[in-house]
Amino acid sequence: MITGEKGDVFASTFLPQQRVVLLAKNGDPSKEDLRQGAALIHLLRNSERMRDILPFIAERGAEGVQKRLAKFYGLMKASKDTLTYEVQNYTIGEEFFSHLRKGSGKETSSAIVKRILGTIIETCAKERTFSKDTSSHEAFVFLVSAVVALGNSKFFKYFTKKKSVDKLGDTKLSEFWRNLDKIRQYICINDAIQYVRTQGPFKVQ
C-alpha cells in the first residue's frame, strides 16, 4: 500500500479473528492513511480481478510501480540473450511428456515448449509503462501473467540451479530473481480479493 508522504514505509496484516487489517508504518498512520486503507478494503470486496484494483494503485503510486518496472526491464535487457540461449539448450523432462496424449511426438512437443518459453521471455522483455491511463493496465496484467509463468516454470528452476555461481552475464542472478519476484507478487492481488470477499468485512486500524 502506497499512501502518505514520500518515504513512508507501509506494511499491513490481516487479523482474521478480529476482522481487522492492521496498518504499520515508520510513524503513526494518519486519519487519511486509515481512510485510504478502508477504501482499498471496500474496493477489494467489490472487485473480481486484479485489473479492477489497478486504477486505485495508479492514482496513489504509479511512480513507484513504474520505477520498479524500469529496474526489471533493465535486468531483463541484460539477461535476455542468456535466457534465450538456455531455453534453446533446455532438455524437456520426461515428466512433461508423460502428460501428453499417446502419439504426440516428443521432438515436436519440445519445440512447442521452447517456443512458448521464448514468447514468455519476449513478453517480459517488452518495455511498458504504468500510469493513470487505464490503457496501460491491461498491458500490466499481461506482463504480470508472463512474469508469473516464467518464475513458476520448471525451466526457471533448472536455470537458477544451473547458474549456482550466482551470475547471469554481468548481472547477479539473485538481483534478477529479486526484481522478477517483485513484479510477480502483483498476482497476489487476486488472492487478496478472494480473501476479503470470503472472509470480510474488515475494518482498518
Side-chain angles (χ1 to χ4, degrees):
M1 184 182 297
I2 303 174
T3 60
E5 298 299 324
K6 184 176 180 180
D8 277 351
V9 178
F10 269 84
S12 62
T13 186
F14 285 102
L15 303 179
Q17 292 182 339
Q18 295 89 344
R19 295 198 171 187
V20 166
V21 177
L22 190 64
L23 295 184
K25 59 180 287 190
N26 54 340
D28 294 330
S30 65
K31 290 182 179 180
E32 179 62 15
D33 296 333
L34 296 174
R35 190 186 72 79
Q36 296 283 1
L40 177 57
I41 295 301
H42 176 78
L43 182 59
L44 288 168
R45 193 180 180 196
N46 291 278
S47 297
E48 296 184 355
R49 54 181 183 158
M50 175 173 59
R51 173 70 176 77
D52 300 330
I53 308 298
L54 295 182
F56 182 95
I57 295 175
E59 183 67 30
R60 294 155 180 81
E63 182 180 341
V65 176
Q66 185 57 40
K67 183 178 180 180
R68 184 168 292 174
L69 285 176
K71 178 69 172 178
F72 173 70
Y73 287 135
L75 292 168
M76 275 299 304
K77 183 177 180 179
S79 310
K80 181 183 173 185
D81 289 346
T82 302
L83 285 165
T84 301
Y85 173 82
E86 292 294 344
V87 164
Q88 295 307 312
N89 290 279
Y90 178 49
T91 301
I92 311 299
E94 289 293 326
E95 71 280 0
F96 173 82
F97 297 112
S98 66
H99 296 290
L100 297 177
R101 288 181 297 179
K102 188 175 181 180
S104 298
K106 289 186 178 181
E107 183 177 355
T108 301
S109 300
S110 179
I112 292 173
V113 172
K114 290 181 179 183
R115 186 160 64 247
I116 292 171
L117 287 168
T119 300
I120 290 171
I121 291 170
E122 289 289 342
T123 301
C124 291
K126 183 179 180 180
E127 292 193 35
R128 297 172 173 83
T129 59
F130 183 80
S131 67
K132 296 179 183 179
D133 185 348
T134 55
S135 65
S136 71
H137 299 172
E138 284 296 341
F140 182 76
V141 171
F142 191 60
L143 169 67
V144 171
S145 298
V147 169
V148 169
L150 178 60
N152 291 355
S153 67
K154 289 185 177 181
F155 161 73
F156 200 74
K157 291 182 176 68
Y158 148 84
F159 176 74
T160 52
K161 183 177 181 180
K162 181 180 179 182
K163 295 292 181 179
S164 59
V165 292
D166 201 35
K167 291 291 287 184
L168 181 62
D170 294 329
T171 304
K172 279 189 173 294
L173 180 59
S174 58
E175 183 181 7
F176 177 78
W177 165 250
R178 185 169 60 253
N179 284 272
L180 180 146
D181 195 47
K182 287 179 180 179
I183 304 299
R184 189 173 65 156
Q185 291 302 316
Y186 283 100
I187 201 69
C188 294
I189 292 173
N190 291 326
D191 296 329
I193 289 171
Q194 292 305 312
Y195 187 83
V196 171
R197 291 185 68 175
T198 58
Q199 303 299 320
F202 290 91
K203 60 182 179 179
V204 179
Q205 294 181 352

